[in-house]
Amino acid sequence: MKKHSILLALMLVFCLHIRAQNLSEYPNFERYQATNSELHKLESYPLVVFIGNSITEGWTNQHPDFFTAHNYVGRGISGQTSPQMLLRFRTDVVALKPKVVVINAGTNDIAENTGKYNASYTLGNIQSMAEIAKANGIQVVLSSVLPTGKFPWKEEIKEVSALVDDLNKHIKRYASENNILYIDYNSLMRDSEGAMRADLSEDGVHPIGKGYDIMENLIQPTLDNILSH
């Protein structure tokens, strides 16, 4: 019995160790470690950080000049959900000392990339990122989840546009109640069914260049106004 108990204890310690290792890798701190370190070394900090998922990452890849011309940086990681962004928020946003952070989160939460979707949990993670930013003197801009009718990698999830609209309603309300700026990409990028306009995306989720043009035209006047004060 004693040997059996010891074996169980060792197995438990091993499992906890593996889970701890997985949790430490969960946010993917390594993705921007080198570029962040370079900014710290040069003390060359961006005016604005955009944090998000593949939509933000694709933005920096397709329209890099938008970021370099204005001293912005993108910190998007493909596939990430709001809890992953929250875990890396201090490293990829606060530590870079921006004047503004633009937060775009929720698409992959609804797609259940890291577990069952819960709108309150997702909103709470977005709120926590906003509160951390404000506590560190960083102006917050919240942005809507982009329109989506379905997820090509998770087609079993139904009524996606309704879930997106519901989350956006809560994000917008939170922004209004807390004097936070809110950018509504969704309204100009959706079709009559609430999906992404066909001319703005090849897969119905990720924008192509024309989609990013719309996003830039929406966000830039807001950032110009913030940064001019």
Side-chain angles (χ1 to χ4, degrees), residues 23-94:
L23 182 59
S24 69
E25 296 168 359
Y26 183 65
N28 194 359
F29 293 118
E30 293 78 14
R31 173 66 177 82
Y32 292 105
Q33 185 175 32
T35 50
N36 287 347
S37 295
E38 188 66 18
L39 292 174
H40 290 308
K41 183 172 69 175
L42 298 174
E43 295 187 355
S44 176
Y45 298 112
L47 291 173
V48 181
V49 174
F50 289 69
I51 187 167
N53 48 46
S54 57
I55 292 168
T56 299
E57 188 171 22
W59 197 347
T60 60
N61 291 336
Q62 293 192 47
H63 284 190
D65 291 348
F66 172 71
F67 291 85
T68 56
H70 297 99
N71 191 20
Y72 303 160
V73 297
R75 290 296 180 263
I77 297 182
S78 179
Q80 282 209 337
T81 56
S82 62
Q84 292 172 297
M85 296 179 208
L86 176 58
L87 285 171
R88 64 183 176 89
F89 194 82
R90 287 190 177 275
T91 301
D92 283 346
V93 178
V94 175

Side-chain angles (χ1 to χ4, degrees), residues 5-26:
S5 298
I6 292 173
L7 179 59
L8 286 175
L10 289 173
M11 289 177 64
L12 178 60
V13 170
F14 176 76
C15 289
L16 289 173
H17 175 66
I18 295 299
R19 289 182 66 183
Q21 283 186 319
N22 290 340
L23 182 59
S24 69
E25 296 168 359
Y26 183 65

Side-chain angles (χ1 to χ4, degrees), residues 80-149:
Q80 282 209 337
T81 56
S82 62
Q84 292 172 297
M85 296 179 208
L86 176 58
L87 285 171
R88 64 183 176 89
F89 194 82
R90 287 190 177 275
T91 301
D92 283 346
V93 178
V94 175
L96 300 185
K97 304 178 182 180
K99 295 185 181 298
V100 185
V101 61
V102 180
I103 301 171
N104 185 266
T107 298
N108 292 323
D109 294 54
I110 297 171
E112 300 188 348
N113 279 17
T114 55
K116 190 169 179 61
Y117 173 59
N118 182 299
S120 296
Y121 177 54
T122 297
L123 180 64
N125 291 328
I126 294 170
Q127 291 171 334
S128 293
M129 285 187 274
E131 289 164 6
I132 291 170
K134 291 172 73 174
N136 285 275
I138 301 169
Q139 175 90 34
V140 179
V141 177
L142 297 179
S143 56
S144 66
V145 179
L146 268 59
T148 307

